[in-house]
Amino acid sequence: MRQILRWEFLLVKRFFRKKSFLFLCLLLPLLGFFLRLGSRGILRIGLVAEEKEGQLPEVNRRVADRLLTGDTVLRIEKVPDERRAREQLRDGRLDAAWILPSDLEARIEKRAGGKNIPLVTVLEREDSAVVLLSREVLYRALYPEISESVYRSFLTEKFSLQPDSPTVRQELDTRYAAVKIDGELISYENAAGQTVRRQSYLRSPL
């Protein structure tokens, strides 16, 4: 046993004479720390869903739910209001903040009707490639609401329907919900030519 330990000591001893090996040994704890941070999310995003008359609008709730429960490598967390989001952004506690306004539904309808108005306020600490790619997650959460609004706007204009009629609104919503499209728009394969079923939406552009 002693002979084995002696051989092991002599084998390892020569590595400790190299400065590069010692440097790598010192870097290992730091590498583990960054890997631990990476597992929590590559970016910290603050989400503000503004209320209207003390109540959270249904559109805001749906968009917020998609962002908070979706499959993403981002770390998205709720922030009470825009003021606190800006403070955390300045302090470096957030990399970006997404503000869902209280009149988001009205803005979406105006946008679908052809008016060029912003839907969401995006605050960013720096303009990096990763931050730019993170916007795709926000677009994905907003798309279902925008798509349905454009659908209603097109049909009411084409067939001269009354958009404020509850009967018309219910009929259009029912028909829109009945449309189901199966399959994927993009097929992902690895280097071996095997199809990859699960793919992070954020990493898709990469």
Side-chain angles (χ1 to χ4, degrees):
M1 185 65 181
R2 290 183 179 180
Q3 188 68 19
I4 295 176
L5 293 176
R6 183 180 179 184
W7 287 345
E8 185 71 19
F9 174 75
L10 293 176
L11 182 64
V12 175
K13 183 178 179 181
R14 61 190 182 94
F15 288 109
F16 282 96
R17 294 176 180 175
K18 298 181 179 181
K19 294 182 180 180
S20 59
F21 179 78
L22 293 175
F23 180 71
L24 289 175
C25 288
L26 294 175
L27 281 182
L28 285 177
L30 187 61
L31 178 62
F33 173 74
F34 282 112
L35 288 175
R36 185 178 179 183
L37 288 179
S39 64
R40 299 177 182 174
I42 61 174
L43 287 178
R44 292 188 62 180
I45 308 293
L47 177 63
V48 179
E50 295 182 346
E51 296 182 349
K52 186 176 183 180
E53 299 178 354
Q55 298 290 332
L56 186 64
E58 185 63 23
V59 172
N60 293 39
R61 184 192 63 78
R62 290 197 298 265
V63 174
D65 286 345
R66 293 189 193 105
L67 291 171
L68 294 172
T69 61
D71 183 15
T72 175
V73 295
L74 302 177
R75 184 179 177 182
I76 303 176
E77 55 191 52
K78 283 185 177 181
V79 179
D81 51 50
E82 183 176 343
R83 179 183 61 82
R84 296 188 188 183
R86 291 182 179 274
E87 289 178 356
Q88 294 183 25
L89 204 63
R90 286 194 297 267
D91 296 341
R93 287 177 286 172
L94 292 177
D95 298 293
W98 299 336
I99 316 298
L100 307 180
S102 58
D103 61 341
L104 178 59
E105 183 175 8
R107 293 189 183 203
I108 291 175
E109 291 180 356
K110 291 179 181 178
R111 183 84 183 193
K115 293 186 178 180
N116 187 16
I117 60 173
L119 302 180
V120 177
T121 300
V122 176
L123 309 174
E124 297 172 347
R125 189 157 54 93
E126 60 181 13
D127 191 15
S128 65
V130 178
V131 173
L132 292 176
L133 284 174
S134 70
R135 298 177 187 175
E136 300 295 329
V137 176
L138 177 60
Y139 300 153
R140 179 178 62 178
L142 287 170
Y143 175 78
E145 309 300 332
I146 298 173
S147 173
E148 186 174 358
S149 184
V150 170
Y151 164 82
R152 285 197 305 265
S153 178
F154 172 78
L155 291 183
T156 52
E157 182 178 351
K158 183 176 181 61
F159 298 104
S160 301
L161 303 176
Q162 297 295 327
D164 298 330
S165 172
T167 304
V168 173
R169 182 69 176 260
Q170 183 179 2
E171 180 67 20
L172 292 178
D173 291 347
T174 302
R175 291 184 178 275
Y176 180 85
V179 177
K180 300 293 183 182
I181 300 177
D182 298 326
E184 299 289 341
L185 294 177
I186 302 174
S187 175
Y188 299 97
E189 295 184 2
N190 57 22
Q194 299 172 336
T195 301
V196 181
R197 294 185 179 275
R198 293 183 60 83
Q199 179 76 13
S200 170
Y201 185 80
L202 180 64
R203 293 192 295 269
S204 295
L206 299 177

